[in-house]
Amino acid sequence: MTFRISHMCLLPGGFVVGIALTSTGSGGYVFVVGRDVLDVSYLDPAAGATLAAVVAVLVTVLVRARRELSALSFAGFALLGVARSTGPWDVDMYLGGVAAGLLLGGLVGLCATADRAWLQTALATGVLAGVLLGGPIERLRTSLPRRYADYLPGPTVDAAALAVLALTAVVLAVALRSGDFGERADPAVSRRAVVAGIVVPLVGLVLCWWFVHRAWDVGSGGEMRGRWVFGIVLVAVVIAAALWLEDRTGIVLLAAMALVATGGIGRSAFPDSWPWLLVPAALALAGTVLGRHFPRPVLGIAALAVVAASTVFEHPPWDDLHLGATWLLLPLAATYTFASSLPSSGPVTWAWTSTGVSVAAVVACGLTAAYLGRRRI
């Protein structure tokens, strides 16, 4: 396999999407007394990611011409630039969700060529790198959490983010101009994939909203009242959708759920040094190459399960086991699993990120409610 400019532009393009989908924006945690404000502030990231998934699915299904797909991709770049230029505001997560959806849907559509497997793999690798490294990068770039950005004086322009967006857009324009993507092929779009790609993220968002709405009312005795069922329901929905889907698309969805179970790379444990980012980035690329040449999705999912199981060692003196699994095994296993599962038909493949955000939100709410229950507030 020979790397081409089309592969190289999809890597940063996917990375931009991953960063946009996992950004906390202005909708972080806010310490307020009042359930309505808490619901809105907590759900902003999940709602923005779900919106991105729906937009990406619609673009993939409804738009076929390469010119229109290219225009939508550049529109996504432009909207992300607007969101980064105007500073935090009330609807920045939703603007970012639409932008990420347009960009993701456009790039997915451009992958529909004879080289679909490697193009999809390059895009998925970029998205995974953005999802896994988004938190550590944000921690390194700012000394203040983004949730306090609303209290900073005046809007700030994110020059670094704008430069990355502009450079990625230029590389994409060069690839399109040179015809490096090759002749377009039109694979059949599975109706099941379309339904699952829209319904699964929406179900996750509804369950997340419902859980957040009730999780803080744990009762005078601190009883959980069966609220852990919310997470079980969403996991069951994802597994059912994976079994319902054809080809490798269901495997991709299962891989997404396994990735979410790992919890990702945490910010607090990240070393305060930029060169450390090269370690997970290099492992992610290695996982991609291995996944394409030795595809065994089951092995990748098993490795992700090992990372998830390592969370029992979060406290000294065994916490180094969890850190090692997170930093060394997770990037390798994540990209290996998805590279092994591609190519896939249907836009549900690219809805996985928002599904993951929704699942993660439900799990986080469950842990919070469990903590409150133990404390018997």
Side-chain angles (χ1 to χ4, degrees):
M1 181 266 172
T2 302
F3 281 99
R4 305 199 309 266
I5 190 173
S6 56
H7 302 138
M8 301 309 296
C9 78
L10 287 173
L11 277 171
F15 183 80
V16 167
V17 171
I19 292 290
L21 288 174
T22 55
S23 173
T24 56
S26 63
Y29 294 98
V30 179
F31 295 98
V32 294
V33 178
R35 183 181 301 162
D36 294 336
V37 178
L38 179 64
D39 286 351
V40 173
S41 63
Y42 185 87
L43 282 176
D44 272 354
T50 302
L51 180 60
V54 174
V55 171
V57 169
L58 294 177
V59 169
T60 306
V61 173
L62 300 178
V63 182
R64 293 291 184 173
R66 180 167 293 177
R67 179 174 298 180
E68 284 74 11
L69 290 170
S70 303
L72 291 175
S73 298
F74 289 117
F77 280 120
L79 288 178
L80 285 175
V82 171
R84 289 290 184 175
S85 300
T86 56
W89 48 316
D90 292 340
V91 294
D92 61 341
M93 285 305 302
Y94 305 104
L95 177 63
V98 172
L102 290 175
L103 178 57
L104 185 57
L107 294 178
V108 170
L110 293 175
C111 291
T113 69
D115 194 24
R116 180 165 59 102
W118 273 103
L119 290 174
Q120 284 188 357
T121 301
L123 180 57
T125 301
V127 174
L128 287 169
V131 169
L132 293 175
L133 298 180
I137 288 175
E138 186 175 0
R139 180 174 181 266
L140 284 173
R141 293 189 62 215
T142 177
S143 59
L144 285 177
R146 282 293 301 271
R147 61 177 175 267
Y148 300 132
D150 291 333
Y151 303 100
L152 296 177
T156 57
V157 176
D158 194 338
L162 292 179
V164 172
L165 289 172
L167 180 60
T168 307
V170 169
V171 175
L172 177 60
V174 172
L176 291 169
R177 181 69 176 176
S178 64
D180 190 69
F181 280 93
E183 294 296 327
R184 177 173 175 79
D186 288 315
V189 177
S190 167
R191 292 184 179 180
R192 294 186 181 185
V194 176
V195 173
I198 294 177
V199 171
V200 171
L202 290 177
V203 169
L205 182 64
V206 170
L207 288 174
C208 181
W209 173 83
W210 194 6
F211 196 103
V212 171
H213 193 70
R214 296 187 175 189
W216 301 96
D217 182 19
V218 295
S220 58
E223 300 89 350
M224 285 296 295
R225 296 181 182 177
R227 291 187 176 92
W228 54 270
V229 175
F230 288 86
I232 300 299
V233 169
L234 185 53
V235 171
V237 169
V238 173
I239 293 177
L243 295 175
W244 187 51
L245 293 170
E246 307 99 334
D247 302 324
R248 298 186 177 185
T249 308
I251 299 177
V252 174
L253 202 55
L254 289 177
M257 188 174 66
L259 176 61
V260 171
T262 65
I265 298 178
R267 301 184 189 184
S268 59
F270 178 72
D272 294 321
S273 176
W274 281 99
W276 277 99
L277 287 176
L278 297 177
V279 175
L283 290 172
L285 290 177
T288 296
V289 175
L290 289 174
R292 291 309 310 161
H293 288 93
F294 309 100
R296 297 291 187 274
V298 175
L299 294 180
I301 293 177
L304 291 174
V306 171
V307 178
S310 71
T311 56
V312 300
F313 302 108
E314 284 187 332
H315 304 290
W318 302 102
D319 55 329
D320 288 341
L321 293 175
H322 174 58
L323 294 178
T326 300
W327 278 100
L328 301 178
L329 182 57
L330 177 56
L332 181 70
T335 53
Y336 175 85
T337 305
F338 282 90
S340 299
S341 305
L342 297 172
S344 174
S345 62
V348 71
T349 300
W350 311 107
W352 66 266
T353 301
S354 62
T355 302
V357 172
S358 299
V359 175
V362 171
V363 172
C365 292
L367 294 176
T368 301
Y371 173 77
L372 292 176
R374 289 196 302 269
R375 297 286 293 181
R376 295 188 180 276
I377 295 178

